[in-house]
Amino acid sequence: MSRIRSAVTAVDRRSFLAAAGAVGLSAGIGVAVGSGGGPGSASAAPAPTAPGPVTTAAPTPTPTPTGPSAGLTTLESLATPRAGNATFRRLGDGPGWRRVVREQFASAKSGREDRRTVLSSFVQLTDLHVTDVQHPVRTEYVRSESSGAWRPHEALSVAGGVSLIERINALGTGPATGAPLAFAMTTGDNTDNNSLCELDWYLTLMSGGLVTPNSGDPQAYEGVQNSGMRMYWHPEDGAPDADKRLGYPRIEGFLEAALRPVRSPGLALPWYSTVGNHDSLASGAYSDRTGFLAEFAVGTRKLYDIPDPDAVALLARISGGETADGGALISLLRREKRRMRTVTADPRRAPFTPLQYLTAHLDSAHTGAGPVGHGYTKDNLDQATLDYTFSMGENVTGVSLDTTDHGGHFTGSVGTGQLRWLERILKENRDGYVVLFTHHNSWTMGNKRPDPARPGEARHDGNEVVALLRKHRSAVAWINGHSHRNVVLPHGSFWEISTASHIDFPQLARVVEIADNKDGTLSLFTTLIESAAPRETDFTDLSQSGLASLYRELALNAPGSRQDLAGLKDARNTELLLRRR
């Protein structure tokens, strides 16, 4: 089982994305390097490349939903760039994505919709990246060498997250079966900089309440967007900058509005939480064993710019698999003191440890719609673990597994103890069904650095997890995120479902419905949803709803962002057939 360690620290991920190329450098996955979106494989032990799904059935006409979810999913319509040649693309209403039936494991039999019973119906959120954009350890400055290393819209992550919660609350039922949604699950990278304030914002966002997405000076913004450095979008002045040259607008009052309190209704459904590398490691990649980054995070200095050669060197160290203790970044911060500016110190920017992560989830102030702990229990505290099981419905067991490499790195793996525990759960549920939830996906689990808390324990990659799941017929699905791209893969006897993020366009979540067709097959329905925000903005509406709309349109135009994160047609709205156990 994954052991809780006391020292895990915070840093941004932005630069590290840049070195990555995986999700275009703006993947939101801590140090993205490689293919598939999240950090692919830039470490000494590279993760395997994601295979491309093969469509085996054409899109089928989708029955018009008639239940409460009608008109609220991407089956009917979705935000789509308008036609035209404008540099800054605007959004409007576009046609929906039809459901694709995939029959790699079983044939779709006629009349199944009249026979089926629903086993579980839920929503997956992933890679929210709730962001403190003023955090001192963020590495926005490598944007000078990689345009996707910093996102112009990150200051609106809380408003965007609230709008997604509003859409989930409005759904009520699964769009394929009409069964009431039973719960929601987040699959990691809930926070961005592994800071205490972000953890509080995330938990309040999910459970309901007022979030003030500001740190440091309570009366002023101290980030890069009013720094005068023109490689960043400066929304409140008329001077040209890198993003205005690409059509980004001037929006008077943007920064003040971005830091205003935002009220979240909280999820109306019970919700569960899975941890990601950004929730555990500095910048989603570094263990910060010396504590330097933790101390810097709460201090009074912030670096906004570095010489281009230094940016090139830092990116090279990261993309080349730089040591997991953050040495290159720490060296940079130590020698660039003269370039730093003074900011307001804030102890809330301190990194949170796994113990603090658990304790915060178990705090009654964050229970919301429940359950208490959101999957985590006192046993997790007592046993120093971040893994748990829960009931997803009659005869269906969910397993949440921590795939973070606590020794450092943005790619993942699991320890021998965790793998044995998972095997035991699969055996105990041999007469039922098991769904695995993790942050990393199979092709981004190639790191085998030892866990400092268990130095003698071996680590295991995604291929080994796939092999274990294939051995047990109880396994029906592995659901994850991390790569910020929709991918659905068949693995011999189960489906791997990886969902796009809510930080990078098209900013999606996914409804999953599992049904027994009573004909020897199961159907796993996946349906993508957007936030409830309007699909376009006039740039003057700085209300909470207007900011959520702006969040989406700015994300569409983010320089360096990948345009293929929606994935192939057979990884969006699907019916995935399986033989019944």
Side-chain angles (χ1 to χ4, degrees), residues 79-82 88-92 153 248 503-507 550-559 561-563:
T80 304
R82 299 180 197 163
F88 188 89
R89 294 171 296 164
R90 308 304 304 275
L91 285 170
H153 59 282
Y248 266 68
I503 187 76
D504 292 312
F505 190 83
Q507 298 174 323
L550 188 58
Y551 181 62
R552 175 154 51 195
E553 202 155 65
L554 294 176
L556 168 68
N557 290 278
S561 61
R562 276 176 48 176
Q563 303 303 305

Side-chain angles (χ1 to χ4, degrees), residues 141 144-145 305-313 332 336 339:
Y141 37 78
S144 64
E145 295 303 313
D305 188 25
I306 59 176
D308 290 349
D310 286 346
V312 171
L332 174 71
E336 290 291 350
R339 292 180 181 272

Side-chain angles (χ1 to χ4, degrees), residues 109-122:
K109 300 179 182 179
S110 61
R112 62 192 183 285
E113 62 277 3
D114 298 322
R115 295 187 298 267
R116 65 171 56 111
T117 59
V118 179
L119 304 179
S120 188
S121 180
F122 60 95

Side-chain angles (χ1 to χ4, degrees), residues 138-475:
R138 286 170 64 81
T139 53
E140 300 103 332
Y141 37 78
V142 298
R143 196 189 201 211
S144 64
E145 295 303 313
S146 177
S147 62
W150 172 77
R151 300 183 184 92
H153 59 282
E154 287 178 323
L156 305 181
S157 63
V158 172
V162 170
S163 189
L164 178 61
I165 286 172
E166 291 172 339
R167 172 51 48 87
I168 294 170
N169 288 347
L171 285 174
T173 64
T177 66
L181 296 172
F183 66 91
M185 166 63 86
T186 72
T187 50
D189 282 1
N190 308 305
T191 65
D192 190 70
N193 301 299
N194 173 234
S195 73
L196 287 169
C197 62
E198 290 177 342
L199 179 60
D200 180 68
W201 300 347
Y202 155 67
L203 290 170
T204 304
L205 184 73
M206 298 290 284
S207 57
L210 197 66
V211 178
T212 302
N214 187 19
S215 66
D217 188 337
Q219 305 300 324
Y221 171 83
E222 298 177 310
V224 300
Q225 290 187 267
N226 64 356
S227 66
M229 295 180 176
R230 295 300 159 183
M231 66 175 164
Y232 308 114
W233 177 47
H234 284 54
E236 297 189 6
D237 67 41
D241 56 48
D243 298 285
K244 290 197 188 82
R245 292 188 182 96
L246 298 176
Y248 266 68
R250 178 182 180 183
I251 304 177
E252 191 67 36
F254 175 90
L255 295 175
E256 179 185 357
L259 302 183
R260 283 200 308 254
V262 175
R263 182 164 296 280
S264 173
L267 281 168
L269 299 171
W271 59 275
Y272 296 85
S273 187
T274 294
V275 68
N277 53 298
H278 274 270
D279 306 313
S280 300
L281 298 169
S283 192
Y286 294 131
S287 62
D288 187 26
R289 295 165 198 166
T290 66
F292 177 91
L293 298 176
E295 183 177 355
F296 195 86
V298 301
T300 61
R301 307 295 284 167
K302 180 174 172 62
L303 187 60
Y304 292 72
D305 188 25
I306 59 176
D308 290 349
D310 286 346
V312 171
L314 182 59
L315 291 175
R317 293 289 299 276
I318 296 163
S319 61
E322 194 255 339
T323 55
D325 61 2
L329 177 59
I330 292 170
S331 296
L332 174 71
L333 294 174
R334 281 178 168 157
R335 71 172 181 267
E336 290 291 350
K337 292 180 180 178
R338 291 186 178 182
R339 292 180 181 272
M340 293 179 183
R341 299 185 184 185
T342 300
V343 296
T344 305
D346 192 336
R348 299 178 304 148
R349 290 172 173 156
F352 54 85
T353 66
L355 178 62
Q356 289 172 310
Y357 181 82
L358 286 173
T359 302
H361 277 77
L362 288 161
D363 188 338
S364 60
H366 296 136
T367 298
V372 173
H374 305 291
Y376 301 112
T377 67
K378 187 175 180 297
D379 285 345
N380 289 108
L381 288 173
D382 294 342
Q383 299 171 21
T385 65
L386 289 168
D387 310 316
Y388 63 89
T389 65
F390 67 105
S391 175
M392 296 176 53
E394 186 175 356
N395 221 22
V396 184
T397 298
V399 179
S400 175
L401 195 66
D402 175 19
T403 53
T404 299
D405 271 302
H406 292 279
H409 210 269
F410 49 86
T411 56
S413 63
V414 293
T416 298
Q418 289 178 287
L419 205 63
R420 289 173 178 168
W421 175 77
L422 175 59
E423 183 168 27
R424 185 168 71 250
I425 299 302
L426 291 164
K427 289 179 178 178
E428 290 172 353
N429 291 276
R430 61 174 57 87
D431 296 325
Y433 302 105
V434 174
V435 176
L436 176 63
F437 295 93
T438 68
H439 177 63
H440 294 88
N441 39 52
S442 62
W443 61 94
T444 56
M445 289 179 64
N447 181 28
K448 296 186 179 182
R449 299 172 190 266
D451 184 339
R454 297 178 179 271
E457 182 181 55
R459 304 290 294 183
H460 304 271
D461 64 20
N463 291 330
E464 293 173 274
V465 176
V466 168
L468 175 61
L469 295 175
R470 289 188 64 171
K471 283 172 54 180
H472 296 274
R473 303 293 291 177
S474 56

